Amino acid sequence: MGWFGLSGDAPVEDPSRLVVTVRRDEDGRVAGAGFALGPDTVLTCAHVVNEALGRPLLDPRTPRREEIRVEVRGTAVTSCRARLLHWVAPRSPGGGPVRETDQEWLGDLAVLRIDEPAGRDVPTLVPGRAGMAAGQPVHAWHGGGHPSTLARLTVAALHAPLGHLDPALGYLDGEATGMAVGPGYSGGPVWCPGEKAVVGLVVAHFLPPRSPATGEPLPYSPQQLVRRSWAVPWQRVRDELAAVGGLPQELEPDEDGGPDPDDPALILLEEAVAEILYSSTERSTAAARLARHCGIVEGSSVTPPTHAEFARFLLTHPRALAAFSGMLRRSSPAWADRVLAAGSLSGTPRLLSPTEYAALRRLLRDLDRAVLARIPEAVRAALPHVPAAPGEEPLGLLLDRLEALPGDGHAAGGERRVPALLRVMEYVGALSSSGKRAEQRLWADGVAQRLGISRAALGERRTDSQAWGRSMRGRSARTRVLVQVTRAERGLHRLRIWCDEGAGPRQVSTDSLTAYSASDGAREVLRVLDSLTPAADDEQAPLVEVLVDRASLNLPVDEWTAYDADDIVPGVLGVEFPLVVHCPELVRKHRRFDSHWRGRWRRLDSGKTLVVDDAMAPGALYPMLVNQLDTVRVCVDVPPGPRDGIVQACLVLGIPVVVWDRSQDGASHLVRHMADVATPELPDGVRDYRANAHARPPDFPGRPVLAWADADRTVPRLHLTEPQESA
């Protein structure tokens, strides 16, 4: 063990204290266990997270941004909140979903990042890690963490799937006396006293056989399997986490936790430390202070670390260099700049110090849910040239990605550039209330000062975010009702409905089996619309967004009409409300066009319109749209034969707004009429056209369809081919 106690270096006198408790949110009972991968990260099973959140146990879907209750044991038991950082879903050996009858599966890992309690650090014990081997005597504990729950086990055998060298499963046999592994042990560490390290994590145990008729346990027989459980060996954990980028940096590519001796950053930092902390007293004082900042074990209070050891630590702990630069900034700004410049040559140091990162987590934890849901929108606005991440990222993973991005290109001369994360937080502040915005700006000011960024440079980004915030308030996110429509038997449809008042979709209908006629479907959608309570200052009608598959783009949902004998007036969906269609299947078909789609959406106010008619040469659309990224809207004015293929191609290529006429008479009147309507106003413009067509069909002969793919608003997870499944 060196002077700085790195992950796994500290001796573990009571390994039961390695257990991190994961609790159910509903009633606070123990859902399972975990153990620390690093000072602020916890490894557990994905099914333990599902249990904590009240989801189906082996649900493979990535949870959203829910908080998870955990308890960490260090010098005391500390209750914290954590959020998902990485997710490795449970899967069968063939890669499909796990069935209830399966007794073994792969994956089933989750990495959580701890939100530290305000004003204090979490004293986390981080164990060492070693490979699991047959014959090892090992221990496991219940997720409650009580020492008396120790189960003494032996690694009976390891199993590697076909084509793999490293084992994926480790079978553990318990002794005939003492505790047996059972519910609540999942996710906990498998501790090897001989190695003094964690060699895997518990996943499941084999239950005694039950009667197929009654479900009751069968009478005991010596032939039954007794006290056998199974775990994921550490070798497999490393492979699974490395595949999703979830392995802590100090564990890649080997576990020595140190930088390459020839790393130029290490050489420059050794020279800098030797000049800054030339006396042993200064080096000892600084090392002790740095260790406290990073929450790791201090070495000798008599003998200080060497210059080389100090420099190695700065490139081993991901937040040590940021913390050290903060220690230097006030008294020696030139030295702080030198340390930051040397550290920038290495990929290990993170942007924020431990204190700054914990403060950022608290700021984000206190945000309103509606603002939290719009963080991806703020990221796209703040960093227009950065490719969007596929799907929805867990918040911790998003922060990691933003920390790794360089600053923008507006710095002049030798000024330090404003990091991407600070720019994003300014845009998040533009969405926040005034009180939260002030807190976020104080945090950004502190980080900028520690990095040596001028107030003018940060102020310029702040002004940009304020202008963006004003434009967003001017174009407020209207309430929308999302209706998934899937075909049932002839002339009937199944519906699932969500409402989104700005905080993301919430499902309001759970019946996905009933088949509706057009009239009954209109009545059901109008029932949901009638239940909405509009904001006092919102004069816009809710937007109805119909979610369809590619074969249903021309489905005339806008013409669905509810009318009973007791009604005074009919209810035509597309006449009363702006109604658009959205086909996630096509819009998200090829991820390579995601950035085109999002970039065009940002230009919705200023982008160009393309009219596709018979004069366009076959095959010209694809190269034209790939090249013309300022085209945000396409009007399709061709006969029905080739029309559907053109519409689908536009959606796949990232065109967010496509207009066409589903009638057999062409779309010439519709195209001429809609040419005078600004693109952002098209949903209401199309509603006006439908109302006029309903009143005066000869003057408005078109039957308009508007495909509208809003890149700033999320859609629920859909199962378009399996309507009986819940989203």
Side-chain angles (χ1 to χ4, degrees):
M1 174 177 172
W3 197 97
F4 294 97
L6 302 177
S7 297
D9 283 342
V12 180
E13 298 178 359
D14 180 3
S16 70
R17 300 189 69 78
L18 297 173
V19 175
V20 173
T21 302
V22 182
R23 294 197 176 273
R24 288 161 43 116
D25 192 57
E26 181 181 7
D27 53 19
R29 298 178 63 183
V30 173
F35 64 92
L37 275 184
D40 63 349
T41 52
V42 170
L43 176 67
T44 184
C45 287
H47 80 259
V48 171
V49 173
N50 283 333
E51 172 73 11
L53 296 176
R55 289 155 39 104
L57 201 62
L58 294 171
D59 192 338
R61 297 175 300 167
T62 304
R64 293 181 181 270
R65 293 173 177 169
E66 296 95 343
E67 292 183 337
I68 299 157
R69 297 172 57 184
V70 300
E71 291 173 2
V72 179
R73 290 161 180 81
T75 55
V77 178
T78 308
S79 181
C80 312
R81 289 283 181 172
R83 291 184 187 272
L84 181 68
L85 184 60
H86 297 285
W87 179 260
V88 182
R91 65 184 188 276
S92 69
V98 181
R99 299 183 299 270
E100 291 185 3
T101 55
D102 290 344
Q103 292 189 313
E104 301 172 357
W105 50 86
L106 303 177
D108 200 4
L109 300 174
V111 179
L112 309 178
R113 175 154 285 163
I114 298 171
D115 277 335
E116 298 179 352
R120 56 197 173 101
D121 294 330
V122 177
T124 311
L125 290 176
V126 182
R129 294 147 295 264
M132 182 179 286
Q136 285 175 333
V138 293
H139 296 164
W141 293 266
H142 183 268
H146 198 280
S148 66
T149 62
L150 177 142
R152 293 177 297 179
L153 310 162
T154 301
V155 180
L158 299 176
H159 169 66
L162 291 176
H164 292 265
L165 296 177
D166 288 333
L169 302 175
Y171 298 111
L172 311 177
D173 284 351
E175 296 188 6
T177 60
M179 299 292 284
V181 171
Y185 280 74
S186 294
V190 179
W191 173 259
C192 180
E195 297 282 352
K196 296 189 182 302
V198 170
V199 296
L201 81 163
V202 180
V203 178
H205 60 286
F206 292 94
L207 294 170
R210 294 177 177 270
S211 167
T214 65
E216 296 296 322
L218 294 174
Y220 173 72
S221 164
Q223 295 299 315
Q224 289 179 7
L225 187 66
V226 178
R227 292 198 171 187
R228 169 160 289 180
S229 52
W230 61 274
V232 181
W234 176 249
Q235 302 95 301
R236 183 70 177 193
V237 171
R238 288 192 59 183
D239 291 345
E240 295 273 17
L241 294 186
V244 297
L247 201 62
Q249 287 177 310
E250 60 267 29
L251 301 182
E252 294 186 277
D254 51 38
E255 298 196 6
D256 63 3
D260 186 334
D262 296 326
D263 187 338
L266 179 62
I267 297 171
L268 293 175
L269 283 173
E270 284 186 25
E271 295 174 353
V273 170
E275 294 183 45
I276 298 168
L277 307 173
Y278 53 86
S279 75
S280 59
T281 302
E282 287 179 320
R283 199 160 59 254
S284 181
T285 302
R289 187 179 171 192
L290 183 59
R292 288 193 297 271
H293 272 302
C294 297
I296 55 93
V297 180
E298 299 178 29
S300 169
S301 59
V302 177
T303 305
T306 64
H307 301 131
E309 195 173 9
F310 200 110
R312 284 177 64 83
F313 177 66
L314 295 178
L315 294 183
T316 302
H317 190 293
R319 303 199 182 277
L321 190 131
F324 186 48
S325 70
M327 293 165 50
L328 296 173
R329 175 59 63 185
R330 185 179 296 273
S331 58
S332 307
W335 284 121
D337 290 339
R338 180 175 172 181
V339 165
L340 289 171
S344 67
L345 300 177
S346 170
T348 298
R350 295 295 183 92
L351 174 71
L352 303 179
S353 70
T355 304
E356 291 165 348
Y357 185 78
L360 175 61
R361 299 279 301 176
R362 288 193 291 271
L363 288 172
L364 295 177
R365 186 180 59 213
D366 294 339
L367 281 179
D368 296 334
R369 181 178 177 137
V371 176
L372 200 61
R374 296 181 68 185
I375 286 181
E377 180 182 348
V379 172
R380 291 193 292 271
L383 308 171
H385 303 297
V386 174
E392 287 193 22
E393 288 180 293
L395 186 58
L397 191 58
L398 175 62
L399 293 182
D400 284 353
R401 188 167 67 91
L402 292 175
E403 268 198 282
L405 293 176
D408 58 34
H410 295 298
E415 290 184 0
R416 291 185 64 85
R417 295 178 174 181
V418 179
L421 179 60
L422 291 193
R423 184 176 176 90
V424 167
M425 287 308 297
E426 292 296 337
Y427 279 70
V428 172
L431 300 173
S432 306
S433 63
S434 57
K436 296 286 194 303
R437 187 184 310 123
E439 293 178 8
Q440 292 164 28
R441 286 180 175 176
L442 285 173
W443 173 86
D445 288 341
V447 176
Q449 183 178 13
R450 197 258 305 164
L451 293 172
I453 296 170
S454 70
R455 294 182 63 87
L458 185 61
E460 181 183 349
R461 312 312 182 272
R462 190 163 289 170
T463 300
D464 292 342
S465 69
Q466 290 171 334
W468 175 77
R470 286 192 296 270
S471 70
M472 293 306 298
R473 286 189 291 274
R475 197 175 91 197
S476 59
R478 72 196 303 169
T479 299
R480 61 180 183 155
V481 171
L482 300 101
V483 184
Q484 182 188 3
V485 180
T486 52
R487 296 178 188 269
E489 52 268 30
R490 186 176 181 85
L492 300 179
H493 303 85
R494 294 189 177 92
L495 307 180
R496 281 191 294 168
I497 306 177
W498 297 261
C499 290
D500 181 3
E501 291 93 347
R506 57 179 179 85
Q507 191 161 354
V508 295
S509 70
T510 57
D511 180 7
S512 59
L513 297 178
T514 301
Y516 294 89
S517 65
S519 178
D520 290 338
R523 189 173 294 106
E524 177 65 10
V525 175
L526 289 172
R527 181 191 65 79
V528 173
L529 287 161
D530 283 341
S531 70
L532 297 177
T533 303
D537 57 349
D538 188 4
E539 299 179 356
Q540 290 183 312
L543 177 73
V544 178
E545 188 170 331
V546 181
L547 307 173
V548 295
D549 60 16
R550 63 195 299 179
S552 301
L553 282 166
N554 289 300
L555 196 66
V557 180
D558 54 287
E559 298 175 6
W560 286 6
T561 303
Y563 188 78
D564 289 329
D566 295 335
D567 293 338
I568 298 175
V569 295
V572 185
L573 291 183
V575 170
E576 294 190 27
F577 298 94
L579 185 147
V580 301
V581 298
H582 182 36
C583 183
E585 173 191 355
L586 293 175
V587 174
R588 297 162 178 81
K589 183 174 180 60
H590 295 303
R591 291 296 184 187
R592 65 183 185 273
F593 297 121
D594 265 9
S595 59
H596 294 188
W597 167 44
R598 299 184 187 282
R600 287 182 168 114
W601 182 260
R602 284 193 294 269
R603 303 185 186 97
L604 202 65
D605 292 306
S606 58
K608 297 179 180 178
T609 297
L610 172 67
V611 177
V612 178
D613 54 24
D614 292 333
M616 179 174 290
L621 183 66
Y622 165 72
M624 183 180 297
L625 293 183
V626 168
N627 191 46
Q628 296 179 2
L629 297 182
D630 56 350
T631 297
V632 302
R633 164 179 166 185
V634 174
C635 295
V636 183
D637 186 11
V638 298
R643 182 190 62 209
D644 291 349
I646 293 172
V647 168
Q648 293 184 26
C650 290
L651 296 177
V652 167
L653 290 169
I655 300 297
V657 179
V658 185
V659 186
W660 71 96
D661 190 333
R662 75 166 68 92
S663 70
Q664 301 296 312
D665 299 326
S668 57
H669 179 271
L670 176 65
V671 169
R672 289 197 306 271
H673 188 86
M674 289 297 150
D676 296 329
V677 180
T679 301
E681 308 301 326
L682 271 179
D684 293 292
V686 169
R687 189 208 64 80
D688 290 344
Y689 189 99
R690 289 170 179 150
N692 286 321
H694 196 73
R696 295 177 290 155
D699 297 331
F700 292 86
R703 299 173 67 198
V705 184
L706 172 60
W708 186 263
D710 188 334
D712 291 332
R713 308 291 292 272
T714 58
V715 296
R717 188 183 299 270
L718 305 177
H719 299 281
L720 292 171
T721 59
E722 299 178 303
Q724 72 277 8
E725 304 238 354
S726 60

